[in-house]
Amino acid sequence: MESENTKKLQIAIFASHTGTNMQAIIDACRRGDLNGDVCAVISNNSNSQALEKARTSGVRAYHLSNKTHPEEDELDEAIYKVLTESGTNIVVLAGYMKKIGPKVLKHYKGRILNIHPSLLPKYGGKGMYGSNVHRAVIDAGEKITGVTIHLVEEEYDTGKIIRQCEIEVLESDTIDTLSKRVLEKENSFYVETLKLISENEIKLQ
Ligand code: GAR
Protein backbone atom coordinates (compact mmCIF):
# COMPACT_ATOMS: atom_id res chain seq x y z
CA MET A 1 0.00 0.00 0.00
CA GLU A 2 1.22 3.52 -0.85
CA SER A 3 1.76 5.81 2.12
CA GLU A 4 3.78 8.90 2.96
CA ASN A 5 6.72 6.66 3.75
CA THR A 6 6.64 4.40 0.71
CA LYS A 7 6.80 5.28 -2.93
CA LYS A 8 6.36 2.96 -5.83
CA LEU A 9 9.49 2.87 -7.92
CA GLN A 10 9.12 2.94 -11.69
CA ILE A 11 12.47 1.47 -12.56
CA ALA A 12 14.33 1.61 -15.87
CA ILE A 13 17.29 -0.76 -15.94
CA PHE A 14 20.29 -0.28 -18.25
CA ALA A 15 22.30 -3.46 -18.82
CA SER A 16 24.96 -4.45 -21.37
CA HIS A 17 25.61 -8.13 -20.75
CA THR A 18 24.36 -10.94 -18.53
CA GLY A 19 21.65 -9.14 -16.60
CA THR A 20 21.66 -11.07 -13.30
CA ASN A 21 21.16 -7.87 -11.29
CA MET A 22 18.37 -6.86 -13.68
CA GLN A 23 16.66 -10.24 -13.29
CA ALA A 24 16.93 -10.09 -9.48
CA ILE A 25 15.18 -6.69 -9.52
CA ILE A 26 12.44 -7.85 -11.94
CA ASP A 27 11.82 -10.95 -9.79
CA ALA A 28 11.70 -8.95 -6.53
CA CYS A 29 9.08 -6.60 -8.03
CA ARG A 30 7.02 -9.53 -9.29
CA ARG A 31 7.16 -11.32 -5.92
CA GLY A 32 6.07 -8.11 -4.19
CA ASP A 33 9.31 -7.94 -2.18
CA LEU A 34 10.01 -4.55 -3.72
CA ASN A 35 7.38 -1.84 -4.16
CA GLY A 36 8.20 -1.18 -7.80
CA ASP A 37 7.80 -2.08 -11.45
CA VAL A 38 10.48 -2.47 -14.05
CA CYS A 39 8.98 -0.27 -16.75
CA ALA A 40 11.83 -0.48 -19.28
CA VAL A 41 15.11 -2.23 -19.96
CA ILE A 42 17.65 -0.54 -22.23
CA SER A 43 20.76 -2.17 -23.63
CA ASN A 44 23.48 -0.91 -25.95
CA ASN A 45 24.12 -4.54 -26.92
CA SER A 46 21.54 -6.10 -29.25
CA ASN A 47 22.81 -9.62 -28.44
CA SER A 48 22.86 -9.24 -24.68
CA GLN A 49 21.38 -11.87 -22.42
CA ALA A 50 19.88 -8.94 -20.52
CA LEU A 51 17.59 -8.02 -23.46
CA GLU A 52 16.63 -11.64 -23.97
CA LYS A 53 15.89 -12.16 -20.26
CA ALA A 54 13.86 -8.94 -20.06
CA ARG A 55 11.73 -9.96 -23.06
CA THR A 56 11.23 -13.46 -21.62
CA SER A 57 10.06 -11.80 -18.41
CA GLY A 58 7.56 -9.69 -20.36
CA VAL A 59 9.37 -6.40 -19.71
CA ARG A 60 9.62 -3.79 -22.49
CA ALA A 61 13.20 -3.97 -23.71
CA TYR A 62 15.00 -1.64 -26.11
CA HIS A 63 18.27 -1.86 -27.99
CA LEU A 64 19.55 1.71 -28.17
CA SER A 65 23.16 2.31 -29.13
CA ASN A 66 25.44 4.10 -31.57
CA LYS A 67 24.26 1.50 -34.10
CA THR A 68 20.61 2.59 -33.84
CA HIS A 69 21.54 6.28 -33.28
CA PRO A 70 25.01 7.21 -34.65
CA GLU A 71 24.80 10.80 -33.32
CA GLU A 72 25.38 11.04 -29.54
CA ASP A 73 22.68 13.66 -28.96
CA GLU A 74 20.11 11.59 -30.89
CA LEU A 75 20.91 8.56 -28.76
CA ASP A 76 20.61 10.64 -25.58
CA GLU A 77 17.23 11.95 -26.84
CA ALA A 78 15.97 8.44 -27.74
CA ILE A 79 16.89 7.11 -24.29
CA TYR A 80 15.29 10.15 -22.64
CA LYS A 81 12.08 9.51 -24.63
CA VAL A 82 11.85 5.88 -23.48
CA LEU A 83 12.40 6.94 -19.86
CA THR A 84 9.81 9.69 -19.84
CA GLU A 85 7.20 7.75 -21.87
CA SER A 86 7.53 4.73 -19.58
CA GLY A 87 7.05 6.88 -16.47
CA THR A 88 10.51 6.10 -15.07
CA ASN A 89 11.25 7.69 -11.70
CA ILE A 90 14.55 5.91 -11.01
CA VAL A 91 17.28 4.67 -13.37
CA VAL A 92 19.27 1.63 -12.33
CA LEU A 93 22.53 0.78 -14.11
CA ALA A 94 23.32 -2.90 -13.82
CA GLY A 95 26.48 -3.75 -15.74
CA TYR A 96 25.91 -0.93 -18.25
CA MET A 97 29.16 -0.22 -20.02
CA LYS A 98 28.37 3.15 -21.63
CA LYS A 99 28.26 6.69 -20.35
CA ILE A 100 24.90 8.39 -19.84
CA GLY A 101 24.15 11.38 -22.10
CA PRO A 102 23.80 14.95 -20.74
CA LYS A 103 20.02 15.23 -21.23
CA VAL A 104 19.26 12.03 -19.28
CA LEU A 105 21.85 12.94 -16.62
CA LYS A 106 20.33 16.38 -16.13
CA HIS A 107 16.70 15.24 -16.04
CA TYR A 108 17.35 12.27 -13.72
CA LYS A 109 20.08 13.92 -11.61
CA GLY A 110 20.22 12.24 -8.19
CA ARG A 111 17.99 9.41 -9.41
CA ILE A 112 20.50 7.32 -11.39
CA LEU A 113 22.18 4.48 -9.49
CA ASN A 114 25.07 2.24 -10.44
CA ILE A 115 26.45 -0.91 -8.82
CA HIS A 116 30.18 -1.59 -8.83
CA PRO A 117 31.91 -4.80 -7.72
CA SER A 118 34.48 -3.25 -5.35
CA LEU A 119 34.73 -0.89 -2.41
CA LEU A 120 34.91 2.40 -4.34
CA PRO A 121 36.95 4.57 -4.63
CA LYS A 122 39.22 1.54 -4.79
CA TYR A 123 39.30 -0.31 -8.12
CA GLY A 124 37.01 2.02 -10.03
CA GLY A 125 37.37 4.12 -13.16
CA LYS A 126 37.72 3.45 -16.86
CA GLY A 127 38.47 -0.17 -17.74
CA MET A 128 37.53 -1.34 -14.24
CA TYR A 129 34.62 -3.69 -14.79
CA GLY A 130 33.84 -7.34 -14.29
CA SER A 131 36.85 -9.63 -13.95
CA ASN A 132 39.33 -6.72 -14.33
CA VAL A 133 38.21 -5.47 -10.92
CA HIS A 134 38.54 -8.87 -9.22
CA ARG A 135 41.95 -9.52 -10.84
CA ALA A 136 43.23 -6.18 -9.50
CA VAL A 137 41.84 -6.95 -6.02
CA ILE A 138 43.52 -10.38 -5.92
CA ASP A 139 46.81 -9.08 -7.40
CA ALA A 140 46.95 -6.37 -4.72
CA GLY A 141 46.56 -9.00 -1.98
CA GLU A 142 43.41 -7.40 -0.56
CA LYS A 143 41.76 -9.32 2.28
CA ILE A 144 38.45 -7.47 1.92
CA THR A 145 36.57 -6.41 -1.18
CA GLY A 146 32.88 -5.56 -1.58
CA VAL A 147 30.06 -3.93 -3.45
CA THR A 148 29.26 -0.23 -3.89
CA ILE A 149 26.01 1.40 -4.97
CA HIS A 150 26.47 5.04 -5.92
CA LEU A 151 24.84 7.91 -7.75
CA VAL A 152 25.93 8.39 -11.35
CA GLU A 153 27.73 11.46 -12.63
CA GLU A 154 29.50 12.21 -15.91
CA GLU A 155 32.60 10.12 -15.09
CA TYR A 156 32.81 6.37 -14.43
CA ASP A 157 32.32 5.16 -10.86
CA THR A 158 32.25 8.59 -9.22
CA GLY A 159 29.27 10.17 -7.47
CA LYS A 160 27.91 9.99 -3.95
CA ILE A 161 28.16 6.55 -2.36
CA ILE A 162 24.72 5.36 -1.25
CA ARG A 163 25.61 2.02 0.32
CA GLN A 164 28.52 -0.43 0.54
CA CYS A 165 29.03 -3.92 1.90
CA GLU A 166 32.22 -5.83 2.54
CA ILE A 167 33.08 -9.32 1.29
CA GLU A 168 36.05 -11.36 2.48
CA VAL A 169 38.68 -12.35 -0.09
CA LEU A 170 39.70 -15.94 0.66
CA GLU A 171 43.29 -17.26 0.30
CA SER A 172 41.90 -19.83 -2.12
CA ASP A 173 39.98 -17.31 -4.28
CA THR A 174 40.49 -17.20 -8.03
CA ILE A 175 39.05 -14.46 -10.24
CA ASP A 176 36.14 -16.79 -11.01
CA THR A 177 35.26 -17.76 -7.44
CA LEU A 178 35.54 -14.17 -6.23
CA SER A 179 33.44 -12.80 -9.15
CA LYS A 180 30.74 -15.37 -8.48
CA ARG A 181 30.56 -14.60 -4.75
CA VAL A 182 30.53 -10.83 -5.29
CA LEU A 183 27.86 -11.06 -8.03
CA GLU A 184 25.57 -13.18 -5.83
CA LYS A 185 25.87 -10.55 -3.11
CA GLU A 186 25.23 -7.75 -5.64
CA ASN A 187 21.93 -9.34 -6.69
CA SER A 188 20.46 -9.23 -3.17
CA PHE A 189 22.20 -5.98 -2.16
CA TYR A 190 20.74 -4.05 -5.12
CA VAL A 191 17.20 -5.26 -4.31
CA GLU A 192 17.62 -4.44 -0.58
CA THR A 193 18.92 -0.96 -1.40
CA LEU A 194 16.03 -0.22 -3.78
CA LYS A 195 13.64 -1.41 -1.09
CA LEU A 196 15.20 1.03 1.41
CA ILE A 197 14.84 3.82 -1.17
CA SER A 198 11.19 2.96 -1.78
CA GLU A 199 10.59 2.95 1.99
CA ASN A 200 12.30 6.35 2.28
CA GLU A 201 14.94 4.84 4.59
CA ILE A 202 17.55 6.01 2.09
CA LYS A 203 17.05 9.48 0.66
CA LEU A 204 18.74 10.07 -2.64
CA GLN A 205 18.45 13.85 -2.68
C1 GAR B 1 28.27 -6.63 -12.10
O1 GAR B 1 29.30 -7.29 -11.42
C2 GAR B 1 28.42 -5.12 -11.93
O2 GAR B 1 28.85 -4.74 -10.66
C3 GAR B 1 29.46 -4.82 -12.97
O3 GAR B 1 29.05 -5.58 -14.09
C4 GAR B 1 28.44 -6.79 -13.62
C5 GAR B 1 27.12 -6.97 -14.33
O4 GAR B 1 26.56 -8.21 -14.02
N1 GAR B 1 29.53 -3.43 -13.25
C6 GAR B 1 30.67 -2.75 -13.33
O5 GAR B 1 31.77 -3.29 -13.23
C7 GAR B 1 30.52 -1.24 -13.53
N2 GAR B 1 31.78 -0.59 -13.53
P1 GAR B 1 25.08 -8.56 -14.46
O6 GAR B 1 24.95 -8.19 -15.95
O7 GAR B 1 24.98 -10.04 -14.28
O8 GAR B 1 24.14 -7.79 -13.60
Side-chain angles (χ1 to χ4, degrees):
M1 193 172 64
E2 202 90 353
S3 81
E4 216 173 84
N5 292 323
T6 65
K7 70 172 173 275
K8 184 156 186 170
L9 301 180
Q10 297 294 342
I11 307 165
I13 303 179
F14 290 31
S16 298
H17 297 296
T18 323
T20 65
N21 282 296
M22 177 205 73
Q23 190 73 60
I25 295 165
I26 292 173
D27 293 347
C29 292
R30 295 271 162 88
R31 282 196 308 268
D33 289 348
L34 174 60
N35 183 20
D37 270 334
V38 177
C39 54
V41 165
I42 293 176
S43 183
N44 60 302
N45 177 358
S46 62
N47 294 317
S48 63
Q49 285 185 47
L51 277 184
E52 200 181 313
K53 285 177 180 164
R55 288 177 181 141
T56 304
S57 300
V59 172
R60 279 177 195 268
Y62 304 81
H63 166 227
L64 294 170
S65 70
N66 57 11
K67 296 223 167 59
T68 61
H69 298 80
E71 298 295 328
E72 277 182 19
D73 55 342
E74 284 175 14
L75 177 59
D76 191 16
E77 184 66 42
I79 293 176
Y80 175 78
K81 196 163 179 273
V82 168
L83 297 181
T84 49
E85 288 183 359
S86 60
T88 297
N89 61 19
I90 186 162
V91 177
V92 167
L93 309 190
Y96 186 63
M97 300 302 161
K98 294 284 172 191
K99 283 194 175 169
I100 304 295
K103 184 161 186 175
V104 170
L105 267 181
K106 183 165 177 241
H107 190 82
Y108 285 93
K109 190 173 165 49
R111 291 183 291 153
I112 309 177
L113 296 178
N114 182 41
I115 193 161
H116 186 80
S118 76
L119 291 173
L120 288 175
K122 283 180 148 186
Y123 308 106
K126 195 160 166 53
M128 276 295 177
Y129 55 85
S131 53
N132 293 350
V133 176
H134 305 299
R135 183 180 299 109
V137 166
I138 288 176
D139 286 353
E142 298 281 3
K143 300 281 179 251
I144 301 285
T145 184
V147 175
T148 302
I149 294 176
H150 64 94
L151 288 176
V152 172
E153 293 179 342
E154 285 81 357
E155 293 310 316
Y156 289 104
D157 305 325
T158 58
K160 181 180 155 195
I161 291 174
I162 301 296
R163 212 164 163 237
Q164 288 185 309
C165 69
E166 293 188 346
I167 296 168
E168 190 182 353
V169 182
L170 307 175
E171 290 281 345
S172 58
D173 263 329
T174 61
I175 296 169
D176 279 355
T177 59
L178 186 59
S179 314
K180 189 163 178 280
R181 213 163 59 255
V182 172
L183 189 58
E184 270 173 23
K185 181 67 190 175
E186 285 183 50
N187 293 173
S188 55
F189 195 61
Y190 225 167
V191 169
E192 277 167 32
T193 304
L194 288 166
K195 191 165 187 298
L196 291 171
I197 292 168
S198 78
E199 290 165 351
N200 232 1
E201 295 289 329
I202 292 178
K203 292 180 181 52
L204 294 181
Q205 44 191 348

